[in-house]
Amino acid sequence: MWNVLLSFSGLVALIQLIFLPFFPESPPYLLLQKEDKAGCLKAMKQLWGEGNYQTEFDDLMKEKAVTKGNKIMNVLEVLRERSVHPQLCTMLLLLLSLQLCGLKIFETANLQESIIPYVSVGVSISELISIISCSSIIDRFGRRMLLCGGYLLMALILVLLETSLLLSDQFLWLRYCSVILIFLFIIAYGLGP
C-alpha cells in the first residue's frame, strides 16, 4: 500500500500548491530581507486583518537596526563556525539514520538487494545536497517561490515515478529511472517544502 501513501502526500502537496499563491510573503522577510516597508505593512493587514500594526512594525524596525551590523552567513561560513558544529553533527546523524527506514520503495522497483544500500546512501547525499542548496538560495528567491516551485516539481516527479514503477517490469531500464526520480524528489522537497 506504499503507492497509496505516496499518492496521499502528493495530494497534500497539490492542495498546498493551489492555495499558496493567495498568501502574502512573511512581513519580517519583506522588511528585513527585501527592505520593503509598504509591502510589510500590506502583508500584515492581509494576514491579520485591518488594524493598527505600528507596534509590530516598530519591533521589526528595531530588529532590523540590531541586525544591521550582522552579516548573513552563507553555507561555508556556517560550516566554519565552531559554535554550530554540535547542531550540524546532530542534523547529519539524523539524516543518515532516516535512510535505514525507507528501503521498501527500492524493493518495489525490483532492484537487486545488493545495490539497495548504495541507493540508500545516494538518498542521503541527495538530502544533503538539497539542504545545502536550499540554505544558499532561499534568500535569493524567497520562501514562496521555493515552495511553489518545489511542490510543482514534486507533483511532476511523482507522476513520472508512478509511471516508471508501473512499467518497470516491461522495461528494465525504468528501474534505474525510478531511483533517479526518487533522488530528484528528495532534492525538490528539500529545496521547496
Side-chain angles (χ1 to χ4, degrees), residues 63-72:
E63 183 180 341
K64 183 178 179 182
V66 168
T67 60
K68 188 172 184 172
N70 296 343
K71 181 183 167 220
I72 296 175

Side-chain angles (χ1 to χ4, degrees), residues 68-84:
K68 188 172 184 172
N70 296 343
K71 181 183 167 220
I72 296 175
M73 297 170 64
N74 64 28
V75 176
L76 290 176
E77 291 169 339
V78 171
L79 290 174
R80 288 187 205 125
E81 182 65 38
R82 291 197 177 275
S83 64
V84 297

Side-chain angles (χ1 to χ4, degrees), residues 36-54:
D36 182 6
K37 293 178 183 178
C40 176
L41 287 169
K42 182 180 174 188
M44 285 179 174
K45 287 180 182 177
Q46 280 182 294
L47 289 171
W48 302 323
E50 289 298 321
N52 186 4
Y53 301 109
Q54 193 60 42

Side-chain angles (χ1 to χ4, degrees), residues 1-2 9 16 21 30 39 52 68 75 84 90 95 105 110 130-131 133 140 151 172 185 190 193:
M1 300 289 294
W2 68 265
S9 65
Q16 290 179 350
L30 288 171
N52 186 4
K68 188 172 184 172
V75 176
V84 297
T90 303
L95 287 173
I105 194 166
N110 296 323
S130 69
I131 289 169
S133 301
R140 190 170 303 143
Y151 280 128
L172 295 177
F185 179 84

Side-chain angles (χ1 to χ4, degrees), residues 23-49 53 56-57 60-61 64 144:
F23 290 98
E25 287 285 357
S26 160
Y29 169 76
L30 288 171
L31 185 63
L32 301 176
Q33 299 293 326
K34 296 280 189 174
E35 298 184 5
D36 182 6
K37 293 178 183 178
C40 176
L41 287 169
K42 182 180 174 188
M44 285 179 174
K45 287 180 182 177
Q46 280 182 294
L47 289 171
W48 302 323
Y53 301 109
E56 290 84 358
F57 186 78
L60 286 174
M61 289 301 288
K64 183 178 179 182
R144 171 184 272 175

Side-chain angles (χ1 to χ4, degrees), residues 1 6 11 15-16 53 55 58 62 67 72 76 78 80 85 93 97 102 125 133 135 143 148 150 163 165 174 183 192:
M1 300 289 294
L6 192 62
L11 177 66
I15 291 169
Q16 290 179 350
Y53 301 109
T55 306
D58 291 341
K62 288 177 189 172
T67 60
I72 296 175
L76 290 176
V78 171
R80 288 187 205 125
H85 282 182
L93 285 173
S97 65
I125 292 169
S133 301
S135 60
R143 287 186 176 99
C148 288
T163 305
L165 288 172
L174 281 177
F183 291 169

